[in-house]
Amino acid sequence: MEIVWYGMSCFRMTERGLASVVTDPYDSSIGLPAIKLKADVVTVSHDAPGHSGLSSVKAEQRVITGPGEYEIGGVFITGIPMAAQKGKKNGARPNTLYVFDYEGLTVAHLGDLDYVPTQAEIEDLGNVHVALVPVGGGGALDATQAAEVISLIEPSVVVPMHYRIASKGPKLDPLSRFLSEMGVTKSDPLESLKLARSSLPEDTQVVVLEPSS
């Protein structure tokens, strides 16, 4: 399968013969370049301009905005409700984590998770091969929390998201803080992540993606 990142928490996942998925499309009002995407399925972790810009993507089959179990175009999608986000000045809001099963290759998108889940909540995710993890704070996990969550999930591949990539964008922490927490001294960004279950690394590997224009 192939995973492309567009900034914030927005990814496009594709696999030949299976449904394509876009996660958390953002609205350009947050200060990042406008995106125009197309996919069979769109998932939204919570209602906020940085995560629910549905006008930025055309969904051919389904828009999913909350918990549940879905099977669309050969992809099994599980939306897992998390505890309402903590410590928000304007009130807590729910966050949905999504696990995508592409014929046995699983990808977990943690949405705007802002706390380290309990062991029971981690177990709800099942076996995760690829974890898309917020690392830049700003209402979601910061670098230290993200590293702790990763140690609990133990995925094969981690792709950081939701961090600062532009001076005009959301005021988030830089990626360097997370890489330091993970002990990564060098990471050459990729245009996309292409992988198969048979080629997954034995130890957790951090893969940094360039935001696609």
Side-chain angles (χ1 to χ4, degrees):
M1 72 175 303
E2 182 176 24
I3 301 175
V4 178
W5 183 51
Y6 293 89
M8 287 295 285
S9 304
C10 182
F11 294 85
R12 187 170 188 267
M13 298 181 286
T14 55
E15 174 62 84
R16 182 179 299 177
L18 301 177
S20 56
V21 176
V22 166
T23 66
D24 278 16
Y26 62 80
D27 189 279
S28 60
S29 63
I30 66 172
L32 296 181
I35 52 175
K36 284 296 180 182
L37 303 174
K38 180 188 292 186
D40 297 309
V41 182
V42 180
T43 62
V44 173
S45 63
H46 67 287
D47 186 13
H51 301 265
S52 60
L54 293 176
S55 62
S56 300
V57 56
K58 180 179 180 181
E60 298 288 350
Q61 296 188 42
R62 184 74 178 267
V63 175
I64 300 173
T65 59
E69 295 183 352
Y70 314 86
E71 191 279 315
I72 304 170
V75 180
F76 290 88
I77 303 170
T78 304
I80 301 171
M82 302 301 289
Q85 291 182 296
K86 304 173 182 178
K88 303 299 180 186
K89 293 181 180 179
N90 298 321
R93 60 175 181 241
N95 177 58
T96 303
L97 275 58
Y98 292 98
V99 178
F100 306 91
D101 188 333
Y102 280 81
E103 296 184 333
L105 179 63
T106 57
V107 180
H109 185 284
L110 303 191
D112 221 22
L113 184 67
D114 74 337
Y115 68 98
V116 177
T118 65
Q119 187 60 43
E121 289 173 321
I122 291 293
E123 291 173 358
D124 285 342
L125 297 176
N127 186 28
V128 174
H129 297 121
V130 182
L132 311 177
V133 182
V135 303
L141 299 174
D142 61 24
T144 302
Q145 292 172 315
E148 186 175 351
V149 171
I150 290 164
S151 70
L152 294 173
I153 298 176
E154 297 183 328
S156 298
V157 177
V158 174
V159 180
M161 64 178 185
H162 200 270
Y163 57 86
R164 188 196 313 158
I165 59 173
S167 58
K168 295 182 180 180
K171 297 184 183 301
L172 303 172
D173 296 334
L175 176 64
S176 57
R177 294 187 184 179
F178 171 70
L179 296 180
S180 177
E181 282 286 342
M182 294 295 292
V184 177
T185 57
K186 181 180 180 182
S187 183
D188 297 323
L190 304 177
E191 291 185 358
S192 69
L193 172 60
K194 298 178 181 179
L195 72 168
R197 186 173 180 180
S198 60
S199 61
L200 292 170
E202 292 185 7
D203 298 322
T204 298
Q205 178 181 340
V206 176
V207 175
V208 176
L209 296 181
E210 288 276 9
S212 181
S213 59

